[in-house]
Amino acid sequence: MRNRLFFVLLLLAVTSLGSPGLSAQNRSVSAPVEVVRCDSLTVYYPRFSRMDLATGSMPSKTDSTVIFCCAAAFTGEKLPTFKHSNIAGHHVSGGQFHEGFHCGPNNGVFTWTPAKGARYYNFSHKNSRPPLKEAAGQGGMGFCQSLLYYNGKRFKGCFKADRANRYRALCEIGGRLCIVDCARNLPFGSFMDGLKALGVRNAVYCDMGRGWNYSWYRDAAGTVHELFPTPGRYTTNWIVFYK
């Protein structure tokens, strides 16, 4: 009996280290942001108490409450000054609803509200105004983007399958929110296959490209790690996770 119990406990310990579908090559589990490196993808799991959509100015790295931030919705034009109407789709920042411009690829909505704590987030399909209005009424946040997965169903996404790039998505895996990045250039179809292998249930695309891909996270010592080197001059909005 004792040997059997030991075997069961060992098996549970080993299986708990892996990510669904892809082998975890490296895992950081004691930091504000858990980093899991899985083959060609890197998964960032922020251990957050709240989140928001920052607009106009990217959060400062001197704000120790910020543990992860990256671009969210698409930006329309390269304007010298910020306008909410230059953000693709309606959005909620700091509990305030704002109208953005119509964007064809936007068929998904992500919202979060503080009403039920960090786990109260929602992915929606198509009609953005009702969930965003609800999030604003509860002091939350939200934005529109291209759906990649919705309740386990795979969508076409906003790029051709053979287009190679570094892609990023806001995802739900195993009931947890995370950001998934390409570790190197991949065809979009391969990125989507990788998300499926990770066990993604819901996912929306996050704006990328030079400048828009600039993002950072904070480790257990409070040190900031930049994921891409060049901040964007014309970026308009960011997903922000707070500890």
Side-chain angles (χ1 to χ4, degrees):
M1 178 64 73
R2 181 178 300 174
N3 290 339
R4 183 180 178 185
L5 178 61
F6 174 79
F7 176 78
V8 171
L9 292 175
L10 179 62
L11 181 63
L12 288 173
V14 171
T15 55
S16 68
L17 292 176
S19 292
L22 293 179
S23 59
Q25 300 170 347
N26 189 19
R27 196 178 187 101
S28 172
V29 297
S30 61
V33 179
E34 179 184 351
V35 182
V36 184
R37 306 187 192 282
C38 302
D39 300 333
S40 58
L41 302 178
T42 304
V43 187
Y44 301 91
Y45 291 98
R47 294 187 172 95
F48 66 102
S49 63
R50 66 183 181 94
M51 59 188 302
D52 202 355
L53 183 74
T55 57
S57 298
M58 190 176 195
S60 170
K61 289 180 285 189
T62 62
D63 184 349
S64 62
T65 66
V66 177
I67 58 174
F68 192 104
C69 64
C70 67
F74 293 124
T75 295
E77 301 178 84
K78 295 180 178 180
L79 301 180
T81 57
F82 170 74
K83 297 191 301 182
H84 281 283
S85 58
N86 196 34
I87 295 177
H90 305 327
H91 51 279
V92 177
S93 174
Q96 298 295 313
F97 176 88
H98 302 276
E99 293 194 353
F101 70 89
H102 174 74
C103 180
N106 282 358
N107 61 346
V109 189
F110 173 82
T111 56
W112 176 88
T113 71
K116 297 181 181 179
R119 294 181 62 85
Y120 192 59
Y121 56 85
N122 188 55
F123 292 83
S124 305
H125 184 208
K126 292 188 176 179
N127 193 357
S128 65
R129 191 176 289 269
L132 289 172
K133 284 287 189 178
E134 180 180 356
Q138 297 180 7
M141 58 81 71
F143 64 96
C144 299
Q145 253 295 1
S146 176
L147 269 176
L148 305 183
Y149 284 88
Y150 182 59
N151 291 334
K153 177 185 176 182
R154 180 169 176 161
F155 279 66
K156 183 179 178 180
C158 46
F159 299 101
K160 293 183 178 180
D162 60 353
R163 178 179 172 181
N165 205 344
R166 297 279 291 271
Y167 297 104
R168 171 180 289 157
L170 172 65
C171 304
E172 178 189 10
I173 301 176
R176 298 177 66 188
L177 273 185
C178 59
I179 301 291
V180 179
D181 269 3
C182 288
R184 61 179 183 273
N185 275 21
L186 289 176
F188 184 67
S190 298
F191 175 63
M192 293 288 284
D193 291 342
L195 295 182
K196 181 180 179 180
L198 284 171
V200 166
R201 177 170 174 77
N202 293 292
V204 293
Y205 186 71
C206 293
D207 200 3
M208 289 287 274
R210 185 174 176 84
W212 279 268
N213 57 15
Y214 178 75
S215 51
W216 52 268
Y217 71 95
R218 197 176 302 277
D219 67 17
T223 303
V224 168
H225 297 262
E226 295 177 318
L227 301 182
F228 289 87
T230 308
R233 179 180 177 185
Y234 301 104
T235 318
T236 57
N237 65 99
W238 302 262
I239 306 165
V240 187
F241 293 91
Y242 297 88
K243 66 180 179 182

